[in-house]
Structure formats: structure tokens, C-alpha cells
Amino acid sequence: MILRHVTIDCSNAYDLATFWSTVTGWPVSDEDAPGDSEVLVEAPSPVPGLLFIQVSEGKTVKNRIHFDWMPTERTRDEEVERVIGLGARLYEDHRTADGLGWVTLLDPEGNEFCVERSTGERGL
């Protein structure tokens, strides 16, 4: 089996897909446009794409699954600031004085995701 997409329910598929496209640098599918109820952010192979599906129900509880992102071109702290500048909000800060830890953010629709230390910060 191959994981093709990770699907996220949302209230505005195109807007949320555009946010995640900007965060990841992955393009929104050429087949999708504002107002579409299903919008795909195309990830580089073999990574699964992000499929945003518009639903009428709002988010009411903590996510049962979320993304843990590790920056490749910036430090964790630089990436947190960049993503907040794109519209994310700080939810929980788990950074420690010794430089370890992660940050939990919320996307524009309140979905939780984490930003961890980069490979350079981990000494890998």
C-alpha cells in the first residue's frame, strides 16, 4: 500500500491549502481554484500530498493526529517566526533553556502542528 494523501477537513479548502502551500513550498494543484470544495497541495514524491476537503462542521476538539515539521533551511526558532508571519498562531511552547524542545502552533483554522529542531540543531 502507498499513502497517497493526508486529508484535512476544513471550512475553506482553498484558503487553507494556500496557507499550507506557502508553509511547505509545495504547489496547489493546477486543477484547483478559489471556491473549490477539494484542493490538493502536491508534495514531492514519495511524500503524500495534503488534500483539503471543505465540510460544514467546525473544529471542536484537539486534533487526533497532527504534523510534526522539521525545518530544512532554517532553525526551529526561525521557522516558528516565519510560519507565525504567514498566519499561524502560537499554541504551546515546549522549548527549554538548553535549546531542546518544540513549538506547537495552530494553522488559520485551529489545527495543531509542531515545529521541531532542524537536523543541524540536532547535530545530524
Side-chain angles (χ1 to χ4, degrees), residues 17-29:
T18 300
F19 168 80
W20 280 106
S21 173
T22 304
V23 168
T24 61
W26 305 339
V28 170
S29 171

Side-chain angles (χ1 to χ4, degrees), residues 9-70:
D9 290 348
C10 58
S11 63
N12 187 316
Y14 192 82
D15 285 355
L16 197 55
T18 300
F19 168 80
W20 280 106
S21 173
T22 304
V23 168
T24 61
W26 305 339
V28 170
S29 171
D30 291 337
E31 298 176 13
D32 296 321
D36 286 354
S37 61
E38 296 182 7
V39 179
L40 177 64
V41 175
E42 299 175 328
S45 182
V47 177
L50 303 177
L51 181 61
F52 296 87
I53 306 282
Q54 203 158 299
V55 298
S56 58
E57 304 85 20
K59 182 178 183 301
T60 58
V61 297
K62 186 179 184 317
N63 295 4
R64 301 284 288 186
I65 186 171
H66 69 263
F67 300 122
D68 287 340
W69 296 100
M70 185 171 63

Side-chain angles (χ1 to χ4, degrees), residues 65-118:
I65 186 171
H66 69 263
F67 300 122
D68 287 340
W69 296 100
M70 185 171 63
T72 56
E73 299 175 8
R74 286 172 275 286
T75 66
R76 173 201 56 211
D77 295 346
E78 291 168 340
E79 187 67 9
V80 166
E81 292 307 312
R82 183 184 79 86
V83 175
I84 287 173
L86 296 173
R89 295 171 298 176
L90 179 65
Y91 182 62
E92 296 175 337
D93 193 333
H94 299 277
R95 292 177 280 196
T96 60
D98 60 3
L100 302 176
W102 68 95
V103 178
T104 305
L105 301 169
L106 302 173
D107 75 11
E109 290 202 11
N111 300 301
E112 298 91 357
F113 65 100
C114 295
V115 177
E116 300 177 351
R117 293 179 306 143
S118 68

